[in-house]
Amino acid sequence: LKIYPKEKRKHRREVKEMFKSKERRFKNKINLISSGVILLLGVLLFIFPWFNIEEPNNLLYLLFAIYAGVKLIEYILTRNGTDRENLYTAIACTLASISGFKFHSYPSPMVLSLTLVSWVGIMSVIKLIKLDYYHDRKNGMFYVNLVSFSLFLLLGLLTSINLYFNATVETLMLAFFFVCNGLLSLSENGIRVLVTVKDLKIKDIH
């Protein structure tokens, strides 16, 4: 069959859109899986005290190491050349995890508080960059991420200044914070996936 130039261009556009759609669905799945893993890490922190594993310092640094790995894998699998939030998050978590080699012998409450508040501060800057990215493009996800950022900052600061109890309570407070963080991340990605699938006005940046 002879394909005329207009039909050929249309066919190419359709093929291109099909590949973009498949790529978007794959990235959405990776984002949701990553958020689920972060949520699972928080849940595991709730479980550890039941087995008399009460070393909040070591658990926090281990969690940051795993968090960094998850975000780095997510960045590699979903990168698009413009959004580097996952890469910056992986770097922030790596730095927080490495700090454990220096401060693991210090008093637990002070180390936990300083480590967490520092990490929350760095993550807030990263999230503000993402907010600015959405705002410049008049993307409706700006409002979703603004609410998520506000809750993340509030929970992070409240958790950081209240880590002055026994090891069990400290572990449970960290667990609560990271479960909330996982839920916020899952909500962000879930809303973005929903609106892109339904082709609503909130646009996917991918």
Side-chain angles (χ1 to χ4, degrees):
L1 294 175
K2 186 177 180 180
I3 301 179
Y4 294 97
K6 283 186 178 180
E7 294 176 342
K8 191 172 183 179
R9 287 196 296 269
K10 182 180 178 181
H11 176 70
R12 284 178 178 174
R13 284 197 300 269
E14 289 175 350
V15 171
K16 190 175 180 180
E17 285 300 320
M18 181 181 69
F19 279 110
K20 279 187 176 180
S21 178
K22 288 183 177 180
E23 182 183 20
R24 189 181 298 115
R25 286 197 297 270
F26 172 75
K27 289 180 178 181
N28 286 339
K29 288 179 182 177
I30 296 299
N31 292 145
L32 290 173
I33 291 172
S34 172
S35 299
V37 171
I38 302 305
L39 177 60
L40 180 61
L41 291 176
V43 172
L44 288 175
L45 281 180
F46 272 121
I47 297 173
F48 284 135
W50 293 356
F51 297 96
N52 295 319
I53 303 175
E54 298 175 349
E55 298 178 354
N57 281 22
N58 294 334
L59 289 174
L60 180 62
Y61 295 129
L62 177 61
L63 186 146
F64 277 137
I66 299 173
Y67 202 138
V70 170
K71 284 298 178 179
L72 181 60
I73 293 172
E74 184 179 4
Y75 170 72
I76 293 172
L77 294 177
T78 64
R79 61 182 174 181
N80 59 10
T82 55
D83 182 12
R84 294 184 174 85
E85 181 186 13
N86 291 323
L87 177 61
Y88 297 149
T89 300
I91 293 173
C93 292
T94 300
L95 293 175
S97 179
I98 291 174
S99 70
F101 292 103
K102 173 69 176 177
F103 302 112
H104 73 279
S105 60
Y106 284 65
S108 178
M110 181 182 69
V111 172
L112 287 175
S113 183
L114 289 176
T115 301
L116 188 60
V117 76
S118 299
W119 182 76
V120 168
I122 295 172
M123 288 300 300
S124 295
V125 173
I126 295 171
K127 290 177 179 293
L128 283 172
I129 293 173
K130 184 67 170 282
L131 279 172
D132 183 62
Y133 181 93
Y134 278 135
H135 183 265
D136 288 346
R137 288 156 181 76
K138 302 187 185 307
N139 192 308
M141 281 299 294
F142 168 79
Y143 301 102
V144 176
N145 281 51
L146 179 61
V147 172
S148 175
F149 164 73
S150 301
L151 292 173
F152 170 82
L153 183 59
L154 178 62
L155 288 168
L157 292 177
L158 288 176
T159 304
S160 299
I161 63 178
N162 285 288
L163 288 171
Y164 290 92
F165 300 93
N166 61 48
T168 300
V169 177
E170 288 172 352
T171 303
L172 292 176
M173 289 183 69
L174 289 172
F176 175 76
F177 170 71
F178 281 102
V179 164
C180 290
N181 184 35
L183 288 173
L184 289 173
S185 177
L186 196 61
S187 299
E188 282 181 21
N189 289 319
I191 292 172
R192 179 169 51 76
V193 170
L194 178 63
V195 297
T196 51
V197 168
K198 297 297 183 180
D199 196 25
L200 301 178
K201 291 183 179 180
I202 301 179
K203 298 178 182 178
D204 191 344
I205 65 171
H206 295 314

